[in-house]
Amino acid sequence: MMKVGLLGAGRIGGVHAAAITAHPRSALAAVSDFFPENAEKLASAYGSVARSTEDIIADPEIDAVLIATSTDTHSELMEAATAAGKAVLCEKPVDLSLERARACQANVAKTGQSVMVGFNRRFDPSFRALKEALEAGEIGKSELLSITSFDPAPPPVEYIKVSGGLFRDMMIHDFDMANFLMGDTPVRVSAVGSSLVDPAIGAEGDVDTAAVTMTYADGRIAVIRNSRRAAFGYDQRVELLGSTGMLQAENMLENTVVKSTAAGVTGAKPMHFFLERYMPAYRAEWDAFVTAVEDGTAFPVTLDDGVAALAMAEAATRSHQIGAPVDLSEV
Amino acid sequence: MMKVGLLGAGRIGGVHAAAITAHPRSALAAVSDFFPENAEKLASAYGSVARSTEDIIADPEIDAVLIATSTDTHSELMEAATAAGKAVLCEKPVDLSLERARACQANVAKTGQSVMVGFNRRFDPSFRALKEALEAGEIGKSELLSITSFDPAPPPVEYIKVSGGLFRDMMIHDFDMANFLMGDTPVRVSAVGSSLVDPAIGAEGDVDTAAVTMTYADGRIAVIRNSRRAAFGYDQRVELLGSTGMLQAENMLENTVVKSTAAGVTGAKPMHFFLERYMPAYRAEWDAFVTAVEDGTAFPVTLDDGVAALAMAEAATRSHQIGAPVDLSEV
Amino acid sequence: MMKVGLLGAGRIGGVHAAAITAHPRSALAAVSDFFPENAEKLASAYGSVARSTEDIIADPEIDAVLIATSTDTHSELMEAATAAGKAVLCEKPVDLSLERARACQANVAKTGQSVMVGFNRRFDPSFRALKEALEAGEIGKSELLSITSFDPAPPPVEYIKVSGGLFRDMMIHDFDMANFLMGDTPVRVSAVGSSLVDPAIGAEGDVDTAAVTMTYADGRIAVIRNSRRAAFGYDQRVELLGSTGMLQAENMLENTVVKSTAAGVTGAKPMHFFLERYMPAYRAEWDAFVTAVEDGTAFPVTLDDGVAALAMAEAATRSHQIGAPVDLSEV
Amino acid sequence: MMKVGLLGAGRIGGVHAAAITAHPRSALAAVSDFFPENAEKLASAYGSVARSTEDIIADPEIDAVLIATSTDTHSELMEAATAAGKAVLCEKPVDLSLERARACQANVAKTGQSVMVGFNRRFDPSFRALKEALEAGEIGKSELLSITSFDPAPPPVEYIKVSGGLFRDMMIHDFDMANFLMGDTPVRVSAVGSSLVDPAIGAEGDVDTAAVTMTYADGRIAVIRNSRRAAFGYDQRVELLGSTGMLQAENMLENTVVKSTAAGVTGAKPMHFFLERYMPAYRAEWDAFVTAVEDGTAFPVTLDDGVAALAMAEAATRSHQIGAPVDLSEV
């Protein structure tokens, strides 16, 4: 039974607390948070205890830590936890600063430990089935990837201010999905973005609507579209054209009811947001972590993956700023 | 070039006039109607002439007649036209009286001519593709057939009065579709029906909502559901469960636009009614007629098929009346 | 915290053990089974203990029992458990004998306790959403119901022998679904059935393919289609035509991936069988039970519902045997 | 009755010959082609006559000409035909040279005549319905457009050589569709492209796979994806995210049959290519031309539209060559 310390008792921390508890081979040993009362509340809901982050990392009884704190603490906590010999699962993004993330990567490497990064979408059953079909050769060689990722509604501007911007905060998932499916990182990134959804987001210098085109060394192309608002819910689709066919992962719907009236034929909306849509993915991600630690095998998503996605976000941010493509080798 | 006389200038006559004219190897030579002004109007729209039915049948220059008159004249006109050596395509149903239809069948047989019956749905591209997939063994052996056929709105009660009732007028198409797909006629028919849509239909002794279950000598089962009203349009579906799979023919939609809003994900309705939905089928039906006549091959839908469907309608009508199953051998 | 004794450690018992354990307000206090080693195994997997059925029912510490034993023991166990003052959730069907079920109904009534019957499909999110849309008037008045229920593969003949036959064992769920959606029981049931899937099923006097038509006092009609085999998986659909529209609950698919190749456009199959498909329904069912017991409110599915569905199964079985409709008042 | 001279008897000329003939208010008066035998053949199939292009343009009896010749002759023929006072419908693209197209635009303007350009997709029923829904405010303000346009298979390299390249030959339709739906031309175009489908296309300096991102003065964004090969057929989709919803126009399928087997749930492929898919669009386009000429109203697609799309193709071509965005004002 793996004893797990959960660092961070926010919304995503709650998701992980449930997954850790439900897993037959892991237990939620302790919870910490910047606001101790949050840690208390989450811990008691799952029959666990609240402790300080330092305590948890120092406790030799704790086997693993899950880092779900604010992004600016990720690097430091990964370094401390791996130095303490813990198995670590860290939420994305690894950092807002590519430089800091690379330093963290080096520091973690010195500990001889490795870190799994929480790109949960890789564990979504549909994206996984798409990847398996691709690897089974069902559409031949991949050529043109398109990722659509629209949130149901923009976050508060207070969040935007500390988010690092759309490319680092939101599209980071799509950069990783591209790496996952294309099996390579791009050589060049070209981004455009606008503030069409909420002028307050534009006032902060950020965008809420964006399109990024990426090209690969072998000529393949990927397009990512993001919007902070889709009135109909959480739109999460992938489409991959290959030499002998196309694979699409469509949205998961709230239910399967279809209503036909004089007004048309209406089905359910996509599941509202990431907690509902990716709940099976969060569970599968945690199982993959536990299994890899138990078996001593490599993590399926590594710190290198986290840094690679961050570099693409950095390139996209710069491309948007200068209005020209940016080579990934430049960032 | 086949010279065609069209008997009947009503709504369905207009559909046929267009198909005859558009076909590269047939020409609309003349049109007749009970109301001569209707014949005039339709003829002039297609550059043809109005004549009397008798004239048309007697004219040796006319190669073929298409009977699209009121049902009570079908048998007589089939007899007269085949006696005059014409190739004949007759609209369904062949008659409202099974006895009269059988007499017609015998009389036509004596002429040595044959008649094609206008079960246009057999020529619908989707139903045809379903049949071809079945015959190609793609779902193994057929076991359980379900036909759904809902009209957008009930006809006027004046029409109901002379229609012969739902089973003979509306479900006759579905009986023929069952024969087409099952490759056999059933041994037993069990019908239930109600007047739920329009009380005036019930007041005429007819039903507007019905379900019929049919069993075959080899144990297979077919279910037909009819309603005179589907608020969303013309619902025409077929579903066939076989030993290794299932085939479904879904509705054809008005367009392919999908709208996603906070209210749900809405697509277009089915094409409104039979003129739109079955236009390709009417064209293919006419082509099959012309081709069979030219090639001297058997018609793909025969008077026997028309009588078989009528017998099933008769059995269903009786089953509904007595509240018990009726063997097809009894009618 | 409700302490629950689980009677029956078979496949469905395992499903319930998981739901009882996962629920925040219930605990799996004990497990029994005809084969004690089965009880031991399931109990240990969930940190519970194996005891005898008698012990569990007699134990005043046990608040509720869930009856998931073989059908022939249901009535007796419901009687014993309610007599002992337990809250009871009993798997369907309540009995194979309508007479015995009615006696049980009377005996349970004398205890002043009530029993919830495990018609889990009432708690399926899509069927529930369909029901809510109906009750919200979104399709006007219901007129014509169609329920499709195909299993992926037939059970072993050994199971068939003790199952009570397709109408009591399999279609019982659909009878209850009809009652749930139509808000009434039918007045007349007409059934046809065949053995097309496995001749061994026919040799036992049972059918594996069936269609039942039911009529209601107000003229409404329902059709149920069952097959013991659908090569593509578990087919569970409901379609309800109303005066102003239609509601359909479609299958839940294994994933959302669509593959387009020269061979066509292929999506995932329906979830394989009831454990996967109805897992959310089992969880919601258990939550409804716990909540009703806690709140002292009426169960959402009662023993009366169980007896009503059994009476319909009895009528269908008889209708199939005599080849004629059977009035529900006759059984 | 409008008397029409058809210039060009190739594949697309054949499509137009059928539409001209079928229209109740136009007649195919004459056909010309660079190869007179092609003109003869097409003319005789439609009961028309073959003449020289010069004859047709000079004939005062001819009301309108439809230019379906090779692209390098379009400008000259538009100038000659408008100078002769004809109503003109010219196939896309107006020219491969933007400079020449602009000269043509000026020359045509001097004649006082106008030209309709054959962007047939504007008349596709689904794209039209999408546009109407947008204009009706059904998704609020448009924000992010995505156009997918994949051909079933690449053309011969001989065609590629004279095509002007993917952006001018193939994506020109999508540029016009963007203008149609966005109601504006972009300010900036950024293109990437590769030769992944056929190395021979790359050897000619052309691409077969491309993605273009366009930005508008008001911040809106459009993405176009093209491939010369989709193994599953002709993929023609449009997706428009707006402030209160999203509109999608999906592919039209060959039929509505769905097959469910152990291998999955398979539907029909998209209609194979543009002749099938856009046949209704070609008919509607011709009707719009005839109606506008008869009514003396402005053409729904003008030479200005043709030049605007060509300028975007020019900008995309240049952007692809230099590896940087190009402002539309620069071309």
Side-chain angles (χ1 to χ4, degrees), chain B residues 143 188 194 213 219 225 229 231 237 239 243-244 248 323, chain C residues 143 188 194 213 219 225 229 231 237 239 243-244 248 323:
Chain B
E143 294 176 351
R188 186 171 251 214
S194 298
T213 301
R225 292 179 302 136
R229 176 185 58 199
R237 287 171 290 150
E239 179 174 315
S243 53
T244 65
Q248 295 166 295
Chain C
E143 294 175 351
R188 185 170 250 212
S194 298
T213 302
R225 291 178 303 135
R229 177 185 58 200
R237 288 171 289 150
E239 179 174 316
S243 53
T244 66
Q248 296 166 294

PDB file of all heavy atoms in Angstrom, chain B residues 143 188 194 213 219 225 229 231 237 239 243-244 248 323, chain C residues 143 188 194 213 219 225 229 231 237 239 243-244 248 323:
ATOM      1  N   GLU B 143     -32.675 -12.023 -38.547  1.00  0.00           N
ATOM      2  CA  GLU B 143     -33.472 -12.600 -37.454  1.00  0.00           C
ATOM      3  C   GLU B 143     -34.648 -11.727 -37.034  1.00  0.00           C
ATOM      4  O   GLU B 143     -35.754 -12.214 -36.866  1.00  0.00           O
ATOM      5  CB  GLU B 143     -32.555 -12.837 -36.238  1.00  0.00           C
ATOM      6  CG  GLU B 143     -31.507 -13.897 -36.493  1.00  0.00           C
ATOM      7  CD  GLU B 143     -30.520 -14.078 -35.353  1.00  0.00           C
ATOM      8  OE1 GLU B 143     -30.534 -13.253 -34.407  1.00  0.00           O
ATOM      9  OE2 GLU B 143     -29.719 -15.018 -35.411  1.00  0.00           O
ATOM     10  N   ARG B 188     -47.949 -15.188 -40.255  1.00  0.00           N
ATOM     11  CA  ARG B 188     -48.925 -14.715 -39.285  1.00  0.00           C
ATOM     12  C   ARG B 188     -48.704 -13.229 -39.029  1.00  0.00           C
ATOM     13  O   ARG B 188     -47.560 -12.770 -38.941  1.00  0.00           O
ATOM     14  CB  ARG B 188     -48.730 -15.512 -38.009  1.00  0.00           C
ATOM     15  CG  ARG B 188     -49.748 -15.254 -36.962  1.00  0.00           C
ATOM     16  CD  ARG B 188     -49.609 -16.254 -35.826  1.00  0.00           C
ATOM     17  NE  ARG B 188     -50.734 -17.184 -35.838  1.00  0.00           N
ATOM     18  CZ  ARG B 188     -51.271 -17.705 -34.722  1.00  0.00           C
ATOM     19  NH1 ARG B 188     -50.749 -17.440 -33.545  1.00  0.00           N
ATOM     20  NH2 ARG B 188     -52.303 -18.491 -34.794  1.00  0.00           N
ATOM     21  N   SER B 194     -54.476   2.380 -32.655  1.00  0.00           N
ATOM     22  CA  SER B 194     -55.275   3.326 -31.881  1.00  0.00           C
ATOM     23  C   SER B 194     -55.399   4.630 -32.639  1.00  0.00           C
ATOM     24  O   SER B 194     -54.603   4.917 -33.522  1.00  0.00           O
ATOM     25  CB  SER B 194     -54.584   3.637 -30.536  1.00  0.00           C
ATOM     26  OG  SER B 194     -54.456   2.496 -29.752  1.00  0.00           O
ATOM     27  N   THR B 213     -46.812  -7.027 -35.591  1.00  0.00           N
ATOM     28  CA  THR B 213     -45.755  -8.037 -35.432  1.00  0.00           C
ATOM     29  C   THR B 213     -46.039  -9.177 -36.405  1.00  0.00           C
ATOM     30  O   THR B 213     -47.176  -9.637 -36.500  1.00  0.00           O
ATOM     31  CB  THR B 213     -45.751  -8.569 -33.991  1.00  0.00           C
ATOM     32  OG1 THR B 213     -45.545  -7.478 -33.109  1.00  0.00           O
ATOM     33  CG2 THR B 213     -44.634  -9.582 -33.799  1.00  0.00           C
ATOM     34  N   GLY B 219     -39.318 -18.860 -38.166  1.00  0.00           N
ATOM     35  CA  GLY B 219     -39.194 -18.310 -36.822  1.00  0.00           C
ATOM     36  C   GLY B 219     -38.764 -16.858 -36.765  1.00  0.00           C
ATOM     37  O   GLY B 219     -38.820 -16.229 -35.703  1.00  0.00           O
ATOM     38  N   ARG B 225     -43.834  -0.235 -37.033  1.00  0.00           N
ATOM     39  CA  ARG B 225     -44.511   0.808 -36.254  1.00  0.00           C
ATOM     40  C   ARG B 225     -44.885   1.956 -37.183  1.00  0.00           C
ATOM     41  O   ARG B 225     -44.044   2.413 -37.950  1.00  0.00           O
ATOM     42  CB  ARG B 225     -43.599   1.326 -35.132  1.00  0.00           C
ATOM     43  CG  ARG B 225     -43.344   0.289 -34.037  1.00  0.00           C
ATOM     44  CD  ARG B 225     -42.417   0.841 -32.969  1.00  0.00           C
ATOM     45  NE  ARG B 225     -41.166   1.263 -33.553  1.00  0.00           N
ATOM     46  CZ  ARG B 225     -40.536   2.396 -33.255  1.00  0.00           C
ATOM     47  NH1 ARG B 225     -41.054   3.238 -32.367  1.00  0.00           N
ATOM     48  NH2 ARG B 225     -39.401   2.706 -33.831  1.00  0.00           N
ATOM     49  N   ARG B 229     -48.281  10.896 -37.385  1.00  0.00           N
ATOM     50  CA  ARG B 229     -47.713  12.199 -37.015  1.00  0.00           C
ATOM     51  C   ARG B 229     -46.381  12.068 -36.279  1.00  0.00           C
ATOM     52  O   ARG B 229     -46.315  11.430 -35.226  1.00  0.00           O
ATOM     53  CB  ARG B 229     -48.655  12.972 -36.096  1.00  0.00           C
ATOM     54  CG  ARG B 229     -48.029  14.297 -35.627  1.00  0.00           C
ATOM     55  CD  ARG B 229     -48.888  15.010 -34.624  1.00  0.00           C
ATOM     56  NE  ARG B 229     -49.147  14.193 -33.459  1.00  0.00           N
ATOM     57  CZ  ARG B 229     -50.132  14.388 -32.592  1.00  0.00           C
ATOM     58  NH1 ARG B 229     -50.967  15.383 -32.774  1.00  0.00           N
ATOM     59  NH2 ARG B 229     -50.297  13.590 -31.551  1.00  0.00           N
ATOM     60  N   ALA B 231     -43.814  15.062 -35.161  1.00  0.00           N
ATOM     61  CA  ALA B 231     -43.706  16.521 -35.188  1.00  0.00           C
ATOM     62  C   ALA B 231     -42.411  16.989 -35.833  1.00  0.00           C
ATOM     63  O   ALA B 231     -42.307  18.131 -36.289  1.00  0.00           O
ATOM     64  CB  ALA B 231     -43.815  17.072 -33.762  1.00  0.00           C
ATOM     65  N   ARG B 237     -37.200   4.664 -41.058  1.00  0.00           N
ATOM     66  CA  ARG B 237     -36.004   3.907 -40.682  1.00  0.00           C
ATOM     67  C   ARG B 237     -36.222   2.408 -40.756  1.00  0.00           C
ATOM     68  O   ARG B 237     -37.338   1.937 -40.562  1.00  0.00           O
ATOM     69  CB  ARG B 237     -35.592   4.270 -39.245  1.00  0.00           C
ATOM     70  CG  ARG B 237     -34.977   5.636 -39.115  1.00  0.00           C
ATOM     71  CD  ARG B 237     -34.816   6.005 -37.648  1.00  0.00           C
ATOM     72  NE  ARG B 237     -36.113   6.253 -37.030  1.00  0.00           N
ATOM     73  CZ  ARG B 237     -36.391   6.043 -35.739  1.00  0.00           C
ATOM     74  NH1 ARG B 237     -35.476   5.571 -34.933  1.00  0.00           N
ATOM     75  NH2 ARG B 237     -37.595   6.303 -35.275  1.00  0.00           N
ATOM     76  N   GLU B 239     -34.300  -1.324 -39.451  1.00  0.00           N
ATOM     77  CA  GLU B 239     -33.262  -1.904 -38.594  1.00  0.00           C
ATOM     78  C   GLU B 239     -33.387  -3.412 -38.640  1.00  0.00           C
ATOM     79  O   GLU B 239     -34.468  -3.953 -38.400  1.00  0.00           O
ATOM     80  CB  GLU B 239     -33.478  -1.379 -37.171  1.00  0.00           C
ATOM     81  CG  GLU B 239     -32.509  -1.909 -36.163  1.00  0.00           C
ATOM     82  CD  GLU B 239     -32.694  -1.226 -34.811  1.00  0.00           C
ATOM     83  OE1 GLU B 239     -32.829   0.015 -34.753  1.00  0.00           O
ATOM     84  OE2 GLU B 239     -32.748  -1.935 -33.805  1.00  0.00           O
ATOM     85  N   SER B 243     -27.484 -12.552 -37.388  1.00  0.00           N
ATOM     86  CA  SER B 243     -26.722 -13.428 -36.487  1.00  0.00           C
ATOM     87  C   SER B 243     -25.327 -12.894 -36.185  1.00  0.00           C
ATOM     88  O   SER B 243     -24.765 -13.210 -35.140  1.00  0.00           O
ATOM     89  CB  SER B 243     -26.631 -14.830 -37.086  1.00  0.00           C
ATOM     90  OG  SER B 243     -26.126 -14.760 -38.408  1.00  0.00           O
ATOM     91  N   THR B 244     -24.775 -12.060 -37.050  1.00  0.00           N
ATOM     92  CA  THR B 244     -23.428 -11.536 -36.776  1.00  0.00           C
ATOM     93  C   THR B 244     -23.368 -10.012 -36.781  1.00  0.00           C
ATOM     94  O   THR B 244     -22.269  -9.439 -36.797  1.00  0.00           O
ATOM     95  CB  THR B 244     -22.393 -12.063 -37.805  1.00  0.00           C
ATOM     96  OG1 THR B 244     -22.734 -11.539 -39.103  1.00  0.00           O
ATOM     97  CG2 THR B 244     -22.379 -13.578 -37.863  1.00  0.00           C
ATOM     98  N   GLN B 248     -28.760  -0.761 -40.018  1.00  0.00           N
ATOM     99  CA  GLN B 248     -29.779   0.264 -39.824  1.00  0.00           C
ATOM    100  C   GLN B 248     -29.717   1.243 -40.988  1.00  0.00           C
ATOM    101  O   GLN B 248     -28.625   1.648 -41.394  1.00  0.00           O
ATOM    102  CB  GLN B 248     -29.514   1.039 -38.527  1.00  0.00           C
ATOM    103  CG  GLN B 248     -29.644   0.205 -37.269  1.00  0.00           C
ATOM    104  CD  GLN B 248     -29.046   0.908 -36.073  1.00  0.00           C
ATOM    105  OE1 GLN B 248     -27.842   1.140 -36.018  1.00  0.00           O
ATOM    106  NE2 GLN B 248     -29.872   1.246 -35.104  1.00  0.00           N
ATOM    107  N   GLY B 323     -58.738  -8.392 -32.639  1.00  0.00           N
ATOM    108  CA  GLY B 323     -57.887  -8.432 -31.446  1.00  0.00           C
ATOM    109  C   GLY B 323     -57.138  -9.736 -31.282  1.00  0.00           C
ATOM    110  O   GLY B 323     -56.895 -10.184 -30.160  1.00  0.00           O
TER     111      GLY B 323
ATOM    112  N   GLU C 143     -47.160   8.491 -26.833  1.00  0.00           N
ATOM    113  CA  GLU C 143     -48.074   7.719 -27.668  1.00  0.00           C
ATOM    114  C   GLU C 143     -47.571   6.308 -27.991  1.00  0.00           C
ATOM    115  O   GLU C 143     -48.316   5.347 -27.899  1.00  0.00           O
ATOM    116  CB  GLU C 143     -48.326   8.477 -28.983  1.00  0.00           C
ATOM    117  CG  GLU C 143     -49.078   9.769 -28.773  1.00  0.00           C
ATOM    118  CD  GLU C 143     -49.249  10.601 -30.032  1.00  0.00           C
ATOM    119  OE1 GLU C 143     -48.641  10.273 -31.071  1.00  0.00           O
ATOM    120  OE2 GLU C 143     -49.986  11.598 -29.973  1.00  0.00           O
ATOM    121  N   ARG C 188     -53.187  -5.165 -21.981  1.00  0.00           N
ATOM    122  CA  ARG C 188     -53.112  -6.355 -22.818  1.00  0.00           C
ATOM    123  C   ARG C 188     -51.697  -6.525 -23.342  1.00  0.00           C
ATOM    124  O   ARG C 188     -51.032  -5.549 -23.697  1.00  0.00           O
ATOM    125  CB  ARG C 188     -54.082  -6.157 -23.983  1.00  0.00           C
ATOM    126  CG  ARG C 188     -54.221  -7.338 -24.879  1.00  0.00           C
ATOM    127  CD  ARG C 188     -55.371  -7.133 -25.853  1.00  0.00           C
ATOM    128  NE  ARG C 188     -56.467  -8.025 -25.520  1.00  0.00           N
ATOM    129  CZ  ARG C 188     -57.287  -8.547 -26.439  1.00  0.00           C
ATOM    130  NH1 ARG C 188     -57.162  -8.218 -27.706  1.00  0.00           N
ATOM    131  NH2 ARG C 188     -58.246  -9.365 -26.077  1.00  0.00           N
ATOM    132  N   SER C 194     -39.078 -16.766 -30.712  1.00  0.00           N
ATOM    133  CA  SER C 194     -38.483 -17.870 -31.455  1.00  0.00           C
ATOM    134  C   SER C 194     -37.125 -18.190 -30.876  1.00  0.00           C
ATOM    135  O   SER C 194     -36.520 -17.363 -30.199  1.00  0.00           O
ATOM    136  CB  SER C 194     -38.286 -17.470 -32.934  1.00  0.00           C
ATOM    137  OG  SER C 194     -39.497 -17.193 -33.558  1.00  0.00           O
ATOM    138  N   THR C 213     -45.949  -6.707 -27.900  1.00  0.00           N
ATOM    139  CA  THR C 213     -46.711  -5.485 -28.090  1.00  0.00           C
ATOM    140  C   THR C 213     -47.682  -5.338 -26.927  1.00  0.00           C
ATOM    141  O   THR C 213     -48.368  -6.293 -26.575  1.00  0.00           O
ATOM    142  CB  THR C 213     -47.494  -5.546 -29.417  1.00  0.00           C
ATOM    143  OG1 THR C 213     -46.566  -5.743 -30.474  1.00  0.00           O
ATOM    144  CG2 THR C 213     -48.251  -4.262 -29.659  1.00  0.00           C
ATOM    145  N   GLY C 219     -55.215   3.708 -25.056  1.00  0.00           N
ATOM    146  CA  GLY C 219     -54.900   3.513 -26.464  1.00  0.00           C
ATOM    147  C   GLY C 219     -53.428   3.557 -26.801  1.00  0.00           C
ATOM    148  O   GLY C 219     -53.035   3.228 -27.919  1.00  0.00           O
ATOM    149  N   ARG C 225     -38.524  -5.268 -27.975  1.00  0.00           N
ATOM    150  CA  ARG C 225     -37.810  -6.285 -28.749  1.00  0.00           C
ATOM    151  C   ARG C 225     -36.620  -6.791 -27.956  1.00  0.00           C
ATOM    152  O   ARG C 225     -35.875  -5.988 -27.406  1.00  0.00           O
ATOM    153  CB  ARG C 225     -37.320  -5.697 -30.089  1.00  0.00           C
ATOM    154  CG  ARG C 225     -38.453  -5.371 -31.056  1.00  0.00           C
ATOM    155  CD  ARG C 225     -37.930  -4.758 -32.341  1.00  0.00           C
ATOM    156  NE  ARG C 225     -37.154  -3.572 -32.066  1.00  0.00           N
ATOM    157  CZ  ARG C 225     -35.976  -3.295 -32.622  1.00  0.00           C
ATOM    158  NH1 ARG C 225     -35.452  -4.122 -33.502  1.00  0.00           N
ATOM    159  NH2 ARG C 225     -35.336  -2.179 -32.314  1.00  0.00           N
ATOM    160  N   ARG C 229     -28.727 -12.210 -28.398  1.00  0.00           N
ATOM    161  CA  ARG C 229     -27.426 -12.022 -29.056  1.00  0.00           C
ATOM    162  C   ARG C 229     -27.390 -10.814 -29.987  1.00  0.00           C
ATOM    163  O   ARG C 229     -28.182 -10.720 -30.918  1.00  0.00           O
ATOM    164  CB  ARG C 229     -27.062 -13.247 -29.889  1.00  0.00           C
ATOM    165  CG  ARG C 229     -25.730 -13.030 -30.645  1.00  0.00           C
ATOM    166  CD  ARG C 229     -25.407 -14.174 -31.576  1.00  0.00           C
ATOM    167  NE  ARG C 229     -26.457 -14.380 -32.565  1.00  0.00           N
ATOM    168  CZ  ARG C 229     -26.633 -15.506 -33.242  1.00  0.00           C
ATOM    169  NH1 ARG C 229     -25.852 -16.518 -33.040  1.00  0.00           N
ATOM    170  NH2 ARG C 229     -27.607 -15.607 -34.116  1.00  0.00           N
ATOM    171  N   ALA C 231     -24.173  -9.246 -31.970  1.00  0.00           N
ATOM    172  CA  ALA C 231     -22.734  -9.489 -32.169  1.00  0.00           C
ATOM    173  C   ALA C 231     -21.893  -8.263 -31.838  1.00  0.00           C
ATOM    174  O   ALA C 231     -20.699  -8.377 -31.578  1.00  0.00           O
ATOM    175  CB  ALA C 231     -22.482  -9.923 -33.608  1.00  0.00           C
ATOM    176  N   ARG C 237     -31.664   0.478 -25.942  1.00  0.00           N
ATOM    177  CA  ARG C 237     -32.197   1.738 -26.428  1.00  0.00           C
ATOM    178  C   ARG C 237     -33.673   1.912 -26.103  1.00  0.00           C
ATOM    179  O   ARG C 237     -34.416   0.938 -26.020  1.00  0.00           O
ATOM    180  CB  ARG C 237     -32.023   1.838 -27.940  1.00  0.00           C
ATOM    181  CG  ARG C 237     -30.586   2.069 -28.384  1.00  0.00           C
ATOM    182  CD  ARG C 237     -30.460   1.947 -29.890  1.00  0.00           C
ATOM    183  NE  ARG C 237     -30.614   0.566 -30.304  1.00  0.00           N
ATOM    184  CZ  ARG C 237     -31.116   0.158 -31.471  1.00  0.00           C
ATOM    185  NH1 ARG C 237     -31.544   1.053 -32.352  1.00  0.00           N
ATOM    186  NH2 ARG C 237     -31.219  -1.120 -31.759  1.00  0.00           N
ATOM    187  N   GLU C 239     -37.072   4.477 -27.191  1.00  0.00           N
ATOM    188  CA  GLU C 239     -37.563   5.493 -28.124  1.00  0.00           C
ATOM    189  C   GLU C 239     -39.035   5.734 -27.831  1.00  0.00           C
ATOM    190  O   GLU C 239     -39.824   4.804 -27.789  1.00  0.00           O
ATOM    191  CB  GLU C 239     -37.370   4.953 -29.544  1.00  0.00           C
ATOM    192  CG  GLU C 239     -37.842   5.863 -30.620  1.00  0.00           C
ATOM    193  CD  GLU C 239     -37.477   5.331 -32.009  1.00  0.00           C
ATOM    194  OE1 GLU C 239     -36.334   4.867 -32.195  1.00  0.00           O
ATOM    195  OE2 GLU C 239     -38.355   5.349 -32.877  1.00  0.00           O
ATOM    196  N   SER C 243     -46.746  13.433 -28.820  1.00  0.00           N
ATOM    197  CA  SER C 243     -47.582  14.248 -29.702  1.00  0.00           C
ATOM    198  C   SER C 243     -46.828  15.417 -30.327  1.00  0.00           C
ATOM    199  O   SER C 243     -47.197  15.902 -31.389  1.00  0.00           O
ATOM    200  CB  SER C 243     -48.801  14.760 -28.931  1.00  0.00           C
ATOM    201  OG  SER C 243     -48.394  15.421 -27.745  1.00  0.00           O
ATOM    202  N   THR C 244     -45.759  15.877 -29.694  1.00  0.00           N
ATOM    203  CA  THR C 244     -45.002  16.998 -30.275  1.00  0.00           C
ATOM    204  C   THR C 244     -43.536  16.684 -30.505  1.00  0.00           C
ATOM    205  O   THR C 244     -42.736  17.595 -30.751  1.00  0.00           O
ATOM    206  CB  THR C 244     -45.102  18.263 -29.381  1.00  0.00           C
ATOM    207  OG1 THR C 244     -44.445  17.987 -28.141  1.00  0.00           O
ATOM    208  CG2 THR C 244     -46.537  18.659 -29.116  1.00  0.00           C
ATOM    209  N   GLN C 248     -35.244   9.747 -27.706  1.00  0.00           N
ATOM    210  CA  GLN C 248     -34.510   8.499 -27.855  1.00  0.00           C
ATOM    211  C   GLN C 248     -33.342   8.484 -26.873  1.00  0.00           C
ATOM    212  O   GLN C 248     -32.658   9.491 -26.721  1.00  0.00           O
ATOM    213  CB  GLN C 248     -33.939   8.374 -29.278  1.00  0.00           C
ATOM    214  CG  GLN C 248     -34.996   8.281 -30.359  1.00  0.00           C
ATOM    215  CD  GLN C 248     -34.416   8.505 -31.746  1.00  0.00           C
ATOM    216  OE1 GLN C 248     -33.964   9.603 -32.044  1.00  0.00           O
ATOM    217  NE2 GLN C 248     -34.428   7.484 -32.573  1.00  0.00           N
ATOM    218  N   GLY C 323     -50.360 -18.260 -28.449  1.00  0.00           N
ATOM    219  CA  GLY C 323     -50.423 -17.606 -29.751  1.00  0.00           C
ATOM    220  C   GLY C 323     -51.547 -16.593 -29.853  1.00  0.00           C
ATOM    221  O   GLY C 323     -52.129 -16.391 -30.933  1.00  0.00           O
TER     222      GLY C 323
END
